[in-house]
PDB file of all heavy atoms in Angstrom:
ATOM      1  N   ALA B   1      14.656   2.909  -2.907  1.00 93.00           N
ATOM      2  CA  ALA B   1      15.674   3.964  -2.991  1.00 93.00           C
ATOM      3  C   ALA B   1      16.048   4.493  -1.614  1.00 93.00           C
ATOM      4  O   ALA B   1      17.147   5.029  -1.432  1.00 93.00           O
ATOM      5  CB  ALA B   1      15.168   5.104  -3.875  1.00 93.00           C
ATOM      6  N   GLN B   2      15.160   4.320  -0.652  1.00 91.00           N
ATOM      7  CA  GLN B   2      15.411   4.795   0.709  1.00 91.00           C
ATOM      8  C   GLN B   2      15.838   3.672   1.653  1.00 91.00           C
ATOM      9  O   GLN B   2      15.917   3.876   2.865  1.00 91.00           O
ATOM     10  CB  GLN B   2      14.158   5.490   1.253  1.00 91.00           C
ATOM     11  CG  GLN B   2      13.683   6.646   0.412  1.00 91.00           C
ATOM     12  CD  GLN B   2      14.760   7.685   0.187  1.00 91.00           C
ATOM     13  OE1 GLN B   2      15.536   7.986   1.080  1.00 91.00           O
ATOM     14  NE2 GLN B   2      14.830   8.221  -1.016  1.00 91.00           N
ATOM     15  N   ASP B   3      16.082   2.477   1.099  1.00 91.00           N
ATOM     16  CA  ASP B   3      16.506   1.321   1.903  1.00 91.00           C
ATOM     17  C   ASP B   3      15.520   0.969   3.015  1.00 91.00           C
ATOM     18  O   ASP B   3      15.903   0.616   4.125  1.00 91.00           O
ATOM     19  CB  ASP B   3      17.898   1.539   2.500  1.00 91.00           C
ATOM     20  CG  ASP B   3      18.968   1.688   1.437  1.00 91.00           C
ATOM     21  OD1 ASP B   3      18.889   0.969   0.421  1.00 91.00           O
ATOM     22  OD2 ASP B   3      19.869   2.529   1.615  1.00 91.00           O
ATOM     23  N   ALA B   4      14.240   1.061   2.712  1.00 93.00           N
ATOM     24  CA  ALA B   4      13.216   0.702   3.693  1.00 93.00           C
ATOM     25  C   ALA B   4      13.291  -0.789   3.982  1.00 93.00           C
ATOM     26  O   ALA B   4      13.518  -1.595   3.074  1.00 93.00           O
ATOM     27  CB  ALA B   4      11.836   1.070   3.171  1.00 93.00           C
ATOM     28  N   PRO B   5      13.104  -1.195   5.216  1.00 93.00           N
ATOM     29  CA  PRO B   5      13.122  -2.622   5.550  1.00 93.00           C
ATOM     30  C   PRO B   5      11.944  -3.348   4.898  1.00 93.00           C
ATOM     31  O   PRO B   5      10.890  -2.746   4.654  1.00 93.00           O
ATOM     32  CB  PRO B   5      13.028  -2.648   7.066  1.00 93.00           C
ATOM     33  CG  PRO B   5      12.496  -1.324   7.464  1.00 93.00           C
ATOM     34  CD  PRO B   5      12.863  -0.352   6.389  1.00 93.00           C
ATOM     35  N   PRO B   6      12.112  -4.633   4.630  1.00 95.00           N
ATOM     36  CA  PRO B   6      11.059  -5.402   3.957  1.00 95.00           C
ATOM     37  C   PRO B   6       9.705  -5.372   4.673  1.00 95.00           C
ATOM     38  O   PRO B   6       8.666  -5.272   4.015  1.00 95.00           O
ATOM     39  CB  PRO B   6      11.620  -6.830   3.909  1.00 95.00           C
ATOM     40  CG  PRO B   6      13.097  -6.647   3.965  1.00 95.00           C
ATOM     41  CD  PRO B   6      13.321  -5.434   4.825  1.00 95.00           C
ATOM     42  N   ALA B   7       9.679  -5.439   5.992  1.00 95.00           N
ATOM     43  CA  ALA B   7       8.397  -5.449   6.709  1.00 95.00           C
ATOM     44  C   ALA B   7       7.658  -4.126   6.517  1.00 95.00           C
ATOM     45  O   ALA B   7       6.440  -4.107   6.315  1.00 95.00           O
ATOM     46  CB  ALA B   7       8.608  -5.726   8.191  1.00 95.00           C
ATOM     47  N   LEU B   8       8.380  -3.005   6.555  1.00 96.00           N
ATOM     48  CA  LEU B   8       7.761  -1.701   6.329  1.00 96.00           C
ATOM     49  C   LEU B   8       7.271  -1.605   4.886  1.00 96.00           C
ATOM     50  O   LEU B   8       6.163  -1.133   4.627  1.00 96.00           O
ATOM     51  CB  LEU B   8       8.740  -0.574   6.639  1.00 96.00           C
ATOM     52  CG  LEU B   8       8.234   0.850   6.362  1.00 96.00           C
ATOM     53  CD1 LEU B   8       6.978   1.164   7.172  1.00 96.00           C
ATOM     54  CD2 LEU B   8       9.343   1.855   6.651  1.00 96.00           C
ATOM     55  N   THR B   9       8.082  -2.076   3.951  1.00 96.00           N
ATOM     56  CA  THR B   9       7.679  -2.066   2.538  1.00 96.00           C
ATOM     57  C   THR B   9       6.392  -2.860   2.343  1.00 96.00           C
ATOM     58  O   THR B   9       5.463  -2.394   1.673  1.00 96.00           O
ATOM     59  CB  THR B   9       8.809  -2.615   1.652  1.00 96.00           C
ATOM     60  OG1 THR B   9       9.953  -1.758   1.785  1.00 96.00           O
ATOM     61  CG2 THR B   9       8.396  -2.692   0.193  1.00 96.00           C
ATOM     62  N   ASP B  10       6.318  -4.039   2.937  1.00 96.00           N
ATOM     63  CA  ASP B  10       5.102  -4.855   2.823  1.00 96.00           C
ATOM     64  C   ASP B  10       3.880  -4.114   3.363  1.00 96.00           C
ATOM     65  O   ASP B  10       2.814  -4.127   2.747  1.00 96.00           O
ATOM     66  CB  ASP B  10       5.264  -6.185   3.561  1.00 96.00           C
ATOM     67  CG  ASP B  10       6.227  -7.134   2.882  1.00 96.00           C
ATOM     68  OD1 ASP B  10       6.585  -6.909   1.700  1.00 96.00           O
ATOM     69  OD2 ASP B  10       6.644  -8.110   3.545  1.00 96.00           O
ATOM     70  N   ASP B  11       4.040  -3.470   4.523  1.00 97.00           N
ATOM     71  CA  ASP B  11       2.916  -2.747   5.117  1.00 97.00           C
ATOM     72  C   ASP B  11       2.488  -1.571   4.240  1.00 97.00           C
ATOM     73  O   ASP B  11       1.295  -1.350   4.034  1.00 97.00           O
ATOM     74  CB  ASP B  11       3.278  -2.250   6.514  1.00 97.00           C
ATOM     75  CG  ASP B  11       3.374  -3.368   7.537  1.00 97.00           C
ATOM     76  OD1 ASP B  11       2.992  -4.522   7.224  1.00 97.00           O
ATOM     77  OD2 ASP B  11       3.847  -3.087   8.661  1.00 97.00           O
ATOM     78  N   VAL B  12       3.457  -0.819   3.719  1.00 97.00           N
ATOM     79  CA  VAL B  12       3.130   0.316   2.850  1.00 97.00           C
ATOM     80  C   VAL B  12       2.415  -0.177   1.594  1.00 97.00           C
ATOM     81  O   VAL B  12       1.410   0.404   1.170  1.00 97.00           O
ATOM     82  CB  VAL B  12       4.396   1.130   2.491  1.00 97.00           C
ATOM     83  CG1 VAL B  12       4.099   2.152   1.395  1.00 97.00           C
ATOM     84  CG2 VAL B  12       4.958   1.822   3.727  1.00 97.00           C
ATOM     85  N   LEU B  13       2.897  -1.249   0.989  1.00 97.00           N
ATOM     86  CA  LEU B  13       2.265  -1.770  -0.222  1.00 97.00           C
ATOM     87  C   LEU B  13       0.841  -2.260   0.049  1.00 97.00           C
ATOM     88  O   LEU B  13      -0.043  -2.111  -0.797  1.00 97.00           O
ATOM     89  CB  LEU B  13       3.123  -2.875  -0.839  1.00 97.00           C
ATOM     90  CG  LEU B  13       4.488  -2.430  -1.357  1.00 97.00           C
ATOM     91  CD1 LEU B  13       5.266  -3.620  -1.895  1.00 97.00           C
ATOM     92  CD2 LEU B  13       4.358  -1.338  -2.401  1.00 97.00           C
ATOM     93  N   THR B  14       0.612  -2.807   1.226  1.00 97.00           N
ATOM     94  CA  THR B  14      -0.747  -3.219   1.601  1.00 97.00           C
ATOM     95  C   THR B  14      -1.662  -2.004   1.699  1.00 97.00           C
ATOM     96  O   THR B  14      -2.783  -2.006   1.169  1.00 97.00           O
ATOM     97  CB  THR B  14      -0.734  -3.999   2.929  1.00 97.00           C
ATOM     98  OG1 THR B  14       0.053  -5.186   2.758  1.00 97.00           O
ATOM     99  CG2 THR B  14      -2.136  -4.370   3.380  1.00 97.00           C
ATOM    100  N   VAL B  15      -1.186  -0.949   2.361  1.00 97.00           N
ATOM    101  CA  VAL B  15      -1.982   0.275   2.500  1.00 97.00           C
ATOM    102  C   VAL B  15      -2.250   0.882   1.125  1.00 97.00           C
ATOM    103  O   VAL B  15      -3.377   1.284   0.819  1.00 97.00           O
ATOM    104  CB  VAL B  15      -1.290   1.274   3.453  1.00 97.00           C
ATOM    105  CG1 VAL B  15      -1.936   2.648   3.382  1.00 97.00           C
ATOM    106  CG2 VAL B  15      -1.321   0.738   4.880  1.00 97.00           C
ATOM    107  N   VAL B  16      -1.226   0.955   0.284  1.00 96.00           N
ATOM    108  CA  VAL B  16      -1.400   1.491  -1.074  1.00 96.00           C
ATOM    109  C   VAL B  16      -2.456   0.687  -1.821  1.00 96.00           C
ATOM    110  O   VAL B  16      -3.373   1.252  -2.433  1.00 96.00           O
ATOM    111  CB  VAL B  16      -0.058   1.494  -1.840  1.00 96.00           C
ATOM    112  CG1 VAL B  16      -0.265   1.709  -3.341  1.00 96.00           C
ATOM    113  CG2 VAL B  16       0.879   2.555  -1.272  1.00 96.00           C
ATOM    114  N   SER B  17      -2.354  -0.629  -1.772  1.00 95.00           N
ATOM    115  CA  SER B  17      -3.321  -1.494  -2.475  1.00 95.00           C
ATOM    116  C   SER B  17      -4.743  -1.246  -2.000  1.00 95.00           C
ATOM    117  O   SER B  17      -5.666  -1.125  -2.815  1.00 95.00           O
ATOM    118  CB  SER B  17      -2.969  -2.965  -2.271  1.00 95.00           C
ATOM    119  OG  SER B  17      -1.761  -3.275  -2.889  1.00 95.00           O
ATOM    120  N   GLU B  18      -4.930  -1.182  -0.689  1.00 94.00           N
ATOM    121  CA  GLU B  18      -6.278  -0.987  -0.140  1.00 94.00           C
ATOM    122  C   GLU B  18      -6.850   0.370  -0.525  1.00 94.00           C
ATOM    123  O   GLU B  18      -7.998   0.465  -0.966  1.00 94.00           O
ATOM    124  CB  GLU B  18      -6.264  -1.142   1.385  1.00 94.00           C
ATOM    125  CG  GLU B  18      -6.010  -2.549   1.862  1.00 94.00           C
ATOM    126  CD  GLU B  18      -7.103  -3.532   1.474  1.00 94.00           C
ATOM    127  OE1 GLU B  18      -8.249  -3.119   1.175  1.00 94.00           O
ATOM    128  OE2 GLU B  18      -6.813  -4.735   1.446  1.00 94.00           O
ATOM    129  N   LEU B  19      -6.050   1.432  -0.369  1.00 95.00           N
ATOM    130  CA  LEU B  19      -6.564   2.768  -0.640  1.00 95.00           C
ATOM    131  C   LEU B  19      -6.836   2.991  -2.130  1.00 95.00           C
ATOM    132  O   LEU B  19      -7.869   3.555  -2.499  1.00 95.00           O
ATOM    133  CB  LEU B  19      -5.604   3.827  -0.105  1.00 95.00           C
ATOM    134  CG  LEU B  19      -5.470   3.888   1.421  1.00 95.00           C
ATOM    135  CD1 LEU B  19      -4.478   4.971   1.819  1.00 95.00           C
ATOM    136  CD2 LEU B  19      -6.809   4.093   2.096  1.00 95.00           C
ATOM    137  N   VAL B  20      -5.921   2.545  -2.978  1.00 94.00           N
ATOM    138  CA  VAL B  20      -6.109   2.752  -4.419  1.00 94.00           C
ATOM    139  C   VAL B  20      -7.254   1.889  -4.937  1.00 94.00           C
ATOM    140  O   VAL B  20      -8.104   2.373  -5.699  1.00 94.00           O
ATOM    141  CB  VAL B  20      -4.795   2.500  -5.191  1.00 94.00           C
ATOM    142  CG1 VAL B  20      -5.031   2.493  -6.698  1.00 94.00           C
ATOM    143  CG2 VAL B  20      -3.754   3.558  -4.820  1.00 94.00           C
ATOM    144  N   SER B  21      -7.319   0.635  -4.524  1.00 91.00           N
ATOM    145  CA  SER B  21      -8.410  -0.216  -5.017  1.00 91.00           C
ATOM    146  C   SER B  21      -9.764   0.299  -4.541  1.00 91.00           C
ATOM    147  O   SER B  21     -10.744   0.275  -5.299  1.00 91.00           O
ATOM    148  CB  SER B  21      -8.198  -1.676  -4.619  1.00 91.00           C
ATOM    149  OG  SER B  21      -8.280  -1.844  -3.225  1.00 91.00           O
ATOM    150  N   ASN B  22      -9.854   0.812  -3.317  1.00 89.00           N
ATOM    151  CA  ASN B  22     -11.120   1.365  -2.838  1.00 89.00           C
ATOM    152  C   ASN B  22     -11.488   2.635  -3.592  1.00 89.00           C
ATOM    153  O   ASN B  22     -12.665   2.867  -3.882  1.00 89.00           O
ATOM    154  CB  ASN B  22     -11.069   1.620  -1.336  1.00 89.00           C
ATOM    155  CG  ASN B  22     -11.205   0.342  -0.542  1.00 89.00           C
ATOM    156  OD1 ASN B  22     -11.660  -0.679  -1.050  1.00 89.00           O
ATOM    157  ND2 ASN B  22     -10.797   0.387   0.711  1.00 89.00           N
ATOM    158  N   ALA B  23     -10.495   3.468  -3.925  1.00 90.00           N
ATOM    159  CA  ALA B  23     -10.774   4.683  -4.704  1.00 90.00           C
ATOM    160  C   ALA B  23     -11.317   4.316  -6.081  1.00 90.00           C
ATOM    161  O   ALA B  23     -12.263   4.935  -6.572  1.00 90.00           O
ATOM    162  CB  ALA B  23      -9.514   5.537  -4.831  1.00 90.00           C
ATOM    163  N   VAL B  24     -10.734   3.295  -6.684  1.00 87.00           N
ATOM    164  CA  VAL B  24     -11.180   2.864  -8.009  1.00 87.00           C
ATOM    165  C   VAL B  24     -12.561   2.218  -7.922  1.00 87.00           C
ATOM    166  O   VAL B  24     -13.459   2.515  -8.716  1.00 87.00           O
ATOM    167  CB  VAL B  24     -10.150   1.893  -8.634  1.00 87.00           C
ATOM    168  CG1 VAL B  24     -10.702   1.222  -9.880  1.00 87.00           C
ATOM    169  CG2 VAL B  24      -8.845   2.624  -8.938  1.00 87.00           C
ATOM    170  N   ARG B  25     -12.761   1.364  -6.950  1.00 85.00           N
ATOM    171  CA  ARG B  25     -13.996   0.582  -6.842  1.00 85.00           C
ATOM    172  C   ARG B  25     -15.184   1.394  -6.322  1.00 85.00           C
ATOM    173  O   ARG B  25     -16.315   1.201  -6.769  1.00 85.00           O
ATOM    174  CB  ARG B  25     -13.740  -0.606  -5.901  1.00 85.00           C
ATOM    175  CG  ARG B  25     -14.879  -1.599  -5.823  1.00 85.00           C
ATOM    176  CD  ARG B  25     -14.517  -2.812  -4.974  1.00 85.00           C
ATOM    177  NE  ARG B  25     -13.362  -3.484  -5.523  1.00 85.00           N
ATOM    178  CZ  ARG B  25     -12.293  -3.876  -4.806  1.00 85.00           C
ATOM    179  NH1 ARG B  25     -12.248  -3.666  -3.517  1.00 85.00           N
ATOM    180  NH2 ARG B  25     -11.295  -4.476  -5.387  1.00 85.00           N
ATOM    181  N   HIS B  26     -14.927   2.295  -5.359  1.00 80.00           N
ATOM    182  CA  HIS B  26     -16.047   2.933  -4.662  1.00 80.00           C
ATOM    183  C   HIS B  26     -16.112   4.456  -4.775  1.00 80.00           C
ATOM    184  O   HIS B  26     -17.083   5.040  -4.315  1.00 80.00           O
ATOM    185  CB  HIS B  26     -15.988   2.607  -3.165  1.00 80.00           C
ATOM    186  CG  HIS B  26     -15.978   1.150  -2.859  1.00 80.00           C
ATOM    187  ND1 HIS B  26     -17.056   0.324  -3.104  1.00 80.00           N
ATOM    188  CD2 HIS B  26     -15.017   0.361  -2.328  1.00 80.00           C
ATOM    189  CE1 HIS B  26     -16.754  -0.907  -2.725  1.00 80.00           C
ATOM    190  NE2 HIS B  26     -15.530  -0.915  -2.262  1.00 80.00           N
ATOM    191  N   ALA B  27     -15.091   5.093  -5.329  1.00 81.00           N
ATOM    192  CA  ALA B  27     -15.027   6.556  -5.203  1.00 81.00           C
ATOM    193  C   ALA B  27     -14.740   7.286  -6.507  1.00 81.00           C
ATOM    194  O   ALA B  27     -14.214   8.388  -6.502  1.00 81.00           O
ATOM    195  CB  ALA B  27     -13.986   6.922  -4.150  1.00 81.00           C
TER     196      ALA B  27
END
């Protein structure tokens, strides 16, 4: 919705995946 470039989107999705999966798995 904010027209983020694909490279930024990929990086954000990687960070989201890491943080959420670690919260579920370890916290």
Side-chain angles (χ1 to χ4, degrees):
Q2 303 305 321
D3 297 321
L8 177 59
T9 298
D10 289 346
D11 289 351
V12 170
L13 295 178
T14 298
V15 168
V16 166
S17 294
E18 291 296 339
L19 293 179
V20 171
S21 66
N22 284 342
V24 169
R25 187 175 301 132
H26 303 293

